[in-house]
mmCIF file of all heavy atoms in Angstrom:
data_model
loop_
_atom_site.group_PDB
_atom_site.id
_atom_site.type_symbol
_atom_site.label_atom_id
_atom_site.label_comp_id
_atom_site.label_asym_id
_atom_site.label_seq_id
_atom_site.Cartn_x
_atom_site.Cartn_y
_atom_site.Cartn_z
ATOM 1 N N ARG A 8 150.469 95.920 25.726
ATOM 2 C CA ARG A 8 149.895 96.205 24.360
ATOM 3 C C ARG A 8 149.253 94.889 23.868
ATOM 4 O O ARG A 8 149.843 94.137 23.150
ATOM 5 C CB ARG A 8 150.971 96.718 23.467
ATOM 6 C CG ARG A 8 151.472 98.050 23.923
ATOM 7 C CD ARG A 8 152.474 98.765 23.032
ATOM 8 N NE ARG A 8 153.103 97.941 22.017
ATOM 9 C CZ ARG A 8 153.538 98.447 20.804
ATOM 10 N NH1 ARG A 8 153.278 99.698 20.539
ATOM 11 N NH2 ARG A 8 154.129 97.706 19.954
ATOM 12 N N ILE A 10 146.484 92.902 21.775
ATOM 13 C CA ILE A 10 145.530 92.925 20.632
ATOM 14 C C ILE A 10 144.789 91.621 20.648
ATOM 15 O O ILE A 10 145.421 90.537 20.773
ATOM 16 C CB ILE A 10 146.274 93.082 19.301
ATOM 17 C CG1 ILE A 10 146.949 94.469 19.217
ATOM 18 C CG2 ILE A 10 145.287 92.908 18.122
ATOM 19 C CD1 ILE A 10 147.804 94.683 17.966
ATOM 20 N N LEU A 12 142.710 89.128 18.420
ATOM 21 C CA LEU A 12 142.389 88.781 17.037
ATOM 22 C C LEU A 12 141.289 87.782 17.085
ATOM 23 O O LEU A 12 141.310 86.782 17.806
ATOM 24 C CB LEU A 12 143.609 88.181 16.321
ATOM 25 C CG LEU A 12 144.818 89.052 16.107
ATOM 26 C CD1 LEU A 12 145.955 88.305 15.419
ATOM 27 C CD2 LEU A 12 144.442 90.290 15.291
ATOM 28 N N GLY A 21 132.650 69.427 12.442
ATOM 29 C CA GLY A 21 131.943 68.266 13.008
ATOM 30 C C GLY A 21 131.446 68.522 14.412
ATOM 31 O O GLY A 21 130.795 67.683 14.986
ATOM 32 N N VAL A 22 131.712 69.673 14.968
ATOM 33 C CA VAL A 22 131.254 69.977 16.317
ATOM 34 C C VAL A 22 129.987 70.841 16.202
ATOM 35 O O VAL A 22 129.897 71.703 15.324
ATOM 36 C CB VAL A 22 132.294 70.793 17.121
ATOM 37 C CG1 VAL A 22 131.785 71.311 18.455
ATOM 38 C CG2 VAL A 22 133.551 69.907 17.386
ATOM 39 N N LEU A 23 129.022 70.595 17.053
ATOM 40 C CA LEU A 23 127.770 71.354 17.039
ATOM 41 C C LEU A 23 128.127 72.841 17.171
ATOM 42 O O LEU A 23 128.935 73.188 17.995
ATOM 43 C CB LEU A 23 126.902 70.918 18.206
ATOM 44 C CG LEU A 23 125.545 71.608 18.297
ATOM 45 C CD1 LEU A 23 124.669 71.252 17.112
ATOM 46 C CD2 LEU A 23 124.838 71.217 19.590
ATOM 47 N N LEU A 41 141.472 81.316 10.113
ATOM 48 C CA LEU A 41 142.378 80.838 11.162
ATOM 49 C C LEU A 41 143.831 80.928 10.657
ATOM 50 O O LEU A 41 144.719 81.324 11.447
ATOM 51 C CB LEU A 41 142.047 79.379 11.539
ATOM 52 C CG LEU A 41 140.851 79.253 12.454
ATOM 53 C CD1 LEU A 41 140.435 77.789 12.529
ATOM 54 C CD2 LEU A 41 141.214 79.723 13.855
ATOM 55 N N LEU A 51 152.488 90.399 14.629
ATOM 56 C CA LEU A 51 152.221 91.387 15.686
ATOM 57 C C LEU A 51 153.049 91.124 16.944
ATOM 58 O O LEU A 51 153.511 92.075 17.569
ATOM 59 C CB LEU A 51 150.727 91.487 15.988
ATOM 60 C CG LEU A 51 149.887 92.087 14.871
ATOM 61 C CD1 LEU A 51 148.388 91.897 15.159
ATOM 62 C CD2 LEU A 51 150.225 93.567 14.685
ATOM 63 N N THR A 65 140.076 74.731 17.592
ATOM 64 C CA THR A 65 140.117 73.407 18.154
ATOM 65 C C THR A 65 139.362 73.333 19.508
ATOM 66 O O THR A 65 139.405 72.260 20.163
ATOM 67 C CB THR A 65 141.568 72.938 18.401
ATOM 68 O OG1 THR A 65 142.169 73.790 19.399
ATOM 69 C CG2 THR A 65 142.399 72.977 17.141
ATOM 70 N N GLN A 94 132.714 86.705 0.599
ATOM 71 C CA GLN A 94 132.015 85.692 -0.215
ATOM 72 C C GLN A 94 132.683 85.557 -1.602
ATOM 73 O O GLN A 94 133.442 86.421 -2.021
ATOM 74 C CB GLN A 94 130.553 86.008 -0.389
ATOM 75 C CG GLN A 94 130.295 87.320 -1.148
ATOM 76 C CD GLN A 94 128.850 87.690 -1.070
ATOM 77 O OE1 GLN A 94 127.983 86.873 -0.999
ATOM 78 N NE2 GLN A 94 128.598 88.998 -1.187
ATOM 79 N N PHE A 96 132.573 85.782 -5.406
ATOM 80 C CA PHE A 96 131.839 86.586 -6.364
ATOM 81 C C PHE A 96 131.943 85.991 -7.747
ATOM 82 O O PHE A 96 132.965 85.494 -8.137
ATOM 83 C CB PHE A 96 132.348 88.035 -6.405
ATOM 84 C CG PHE A 96 132.140 88.789 -5.153
ATOM 85 C CD1 PHE A 96 133.193 88.939 -4.254
ATOM 86 C CD2 PHE A 96 130.891 89.339 -4.830
ATOM 87 C CE1 PHE A 96 132.992 89.666 -3.044
ATOM 88 C CE2 PHE A 96 130.700 90.032 -3.653
ATOM 89 C CZ PHE A 96 131.738 90.211 -2.778
ATOM 90 N N SER A 103 138.586 93.867 -1.030
ATOM 91 C CA SER A 103 139.125 93.917 0.312
ATOM 92 C C SER A 103 138.847 95.263 0.909
ATOM 93 O O SER A 103 138.699 96.273 0.192
ATOM 94 C CB SER A 103 140.638 93.664 0.264
ATOM 95 O OG SER A 103 141.327 94.720 -0.330
ATOM 96 N N GLN A 118 141.326 103.531 8.823
ATOM 97 C CA GLN A 118 141.904 104.377 7.777
ATOM 98 C C GLN A 118 143.399 104.115 7.650
ATOM 99 O O GLN A 118 143.973 104.240 6.537
ATOM 100 C CB GLN A 118 141.648 105.850 8.059
ATOM 101 C CG GLN A 118 140.207 106.202 7.821
ATOM 102 C CD GLN A 118 139.890 107.665 8.197
ATOM 103 O OE1 GLN A 118 140.507 108.243 9.047
ATOM 104 N NE2 GLN A 118 138.904 108.231 7.497
ATOM 105 N N ALA A 119 144.052 103.747 8.731
ATOM 106 C CA ALA A 119 145.505 103.421 8.666
ATOM 107 C C ALA A 119 145.796 102.094 7.986
ATOM 108 O O ALA A 119 146.750 101.924 7.306
ATOM 109 C CB ALA A 119 146.082 103.396 10.103
ATOM 110 N N CYS A 132 136.961 101.463 2.976
ATOM 111 C CA CYS A 132 136.980 101.675 4.411
ATOM 112 C C CYS A 132 135.606 102.302 4.753
ATOM 113 O O CYS A 132 135.301 103.413 4.355
ATOM 114 C CB CYS A 132 138.096 102.670 4.714
ATOM 115 S SG CYS A 132 138.331 102.978 6.479
ATOM 116 N N THR A 136 128.042 100.416 10.043
ATOM 117 C CA THR A 136 126.621 100.629 9.661
ATOM 118 C C THR A 136 126.407 100.445 8.164
ATOM 119 O O THR A 136 125.268 100.314 7.705
ATOM 120 C CB THR A 136 126.146 102.000 10.128
ATOM 121 O OG1 THR A 136 127.037 103.009 9.601
ATOM 122 C CG2 THR A 136 126.089 102.098 11.657
ATOM 123 N N GLY A 141 123.827 96.291 8.672
ATOM 124 C CA GLY A 141 123.502 97.601 9.285
ATOM 125 C C GLY A 141 124.273 97.818 10.590
ATOM 126 O O GLY A 141 123.962 98.731 11.347
ATOM 127 N N TYR A 144 129.076 93.052 15.198
ATOM 128 C CA TYR A 144 129.304 92.750 16.622
ATOM 129 C C TYR A 144 130.441 93.517 17.214
ATOM 130 O O TYR A 144 130.474 93.772 18.415
ATOM 131 C CB TYR A 144 129.471 91.247 16.821
ATOM 132 C CG TYR A 144 130.798 90.675 16.339
ATOM 133 C CD1 TYR A 144 131.837 90.427 17.215
ATOM 134 C CD2 TYR A 144 130.996 90.371 14.986
ATOM 135 C CE1 TYR A 144 133.046 89.914 16.788
ATOM 136 C CE2 TYR A 144 132.195 89.872 14.566
ATOM 137 C CZ TYR A 144 133.186 89.629 15.450
ATOM 138 O OH TYR A 144 134.384 89.129 15.007
ATOM 139 N N LEU A 157 138.345 93.169 9.247
ATOM 140 C CA LEU A 157 139.055 93.071 7.970
ATOM 141 C C LEU A 157 138.364 92.099 7.050
ATOM 142 O O LEU A 157 138.091 90.939 7.478
ATOM 143 C CB LEU A 157 140.517 92.638 8.152
ATOM 144 C CG LEU A 157 141.356 93.368 9.149
ATOM 145 C CD1 LEU A 157 142.752 92.728 9.223
ATOM 146 C CD2 LEU A 157 141.516 94.865 8.765
ATOM 147 N N LEU A 159 139.616 90.458 4.008
ATOM 148 C CA LEU A 159 140.939 90.383 3.349
ATOM 149 C C LEU A 159 140.804 90.357 1.801
ATOM 150 O O LEU A 159 141.650 90.936 1.124
ATOM 151 C CB LEU A 159 141.735 89.190 3.833
ATOM 152 C CG LEU A 159 142.114 89.245 5.297
ATOM 153 C CD1 LEU A 159 142.767 87.933 5.704
ATOM 154 C CD2 LEU A 159 143.047 90.413 5.552
ATOM 155 N N PRO A 167 146.955 79.510 -0.802
ATOM 156 C CA PRO A 167 146.790 78.078 -0.522
ATOM 157 C C PRO A 167 146.977 77.769 0.966
ATOM 158 O O PRO A 167 147.628 78.534 1.706
ATOM 159 C CB PRO A 167 147.933 77.416 -1.324
ATOM 160 C CG PRO A 167 148.278 78.452 -2.403
ATOM 161 C CD PRO A 167 148.006 79.773 -1.770
ATOM 162 N N ARG A 176 150.741 84.531 2.365
ATOM 163 C CA ARG A 176 150.104 85.103 3.546
ATOM 164 C C ARG A 176 151.022 86.133 4.178
ATOM 165 O O ARG A 176 150.520 87.210 4.584
ATOM 166 C CB ARG A 176 149.748 84.005 4.578
ATOM 167 C CG ARG A 176 148.450 83.301 4.311
ATOM 168 C CD ARG A 176 148.049 82.379 5.444
ATOM 169 N NE ARG A 176 149.042 81.419 5.808
ATOM 170 C CZ ARG A 176 149.214 80.263 5.144
ATOM 171 N NH1 ARG A 176 148.477 79.969 4.168
ATOM 172 N NH2 ARG A 176 150.162 79.399 5.554
ATOM 173 N N LEU A 177 152.279 85.896 4.267
ATOM 174 C CA LEU A 177 153.221 86.881 4.842
ATOM 175 C C LEU A 177 153.240 88.152 3.961
ATOM 176 O O LEU A 177 153.246 89.244 4.489
ATOM 177 C CB LEU A 177 154.636 86.283 4.927
ATOM 178 C CG LEU A 177 154.820 85.313 6.069
ATOM 179 C CD1 LEU A 177 156.165 84.582 5.932
ATOM 180 C CD2 LEU A 177 154.752 86.009 7.422
ATOM 181 N N ASP A 185 152.254 95.984 9.971
ATOM 182 C CA ASP A 185 153.036 97.241 10.106
ATOM 183 C C ASP A 185 152.092 98.431 10.370
ATOM 184 O O ASP A 185 152.347 99.267 11.216
ATOM 185 C CB ASP A 185 153.873 97.488 8.846
ATOM 186 C CG ASP A 185 155.064 96.524 8.755
ATOM 187 O OD1 ASP A 185 155.445 95.943 9.773
ATOM 188 O OD2 ASP A 185 155.575 96.367 7.601
#
Side-chain angles (χ1 to χ4, degrees):
R8 294 186 343 149
I10 295 176
L12 295 178
V22 172
L23 183 65
L41 284 166
L51 290 169
T65 65
Q94 63 188 332
F96 294 101
S103 68
Q118 288 176 330
C132 183
T136 54
Y144 72 100
L157 307 177
L159 295 175
R176 277 190 304 279
L177 285 169
D185 289 340

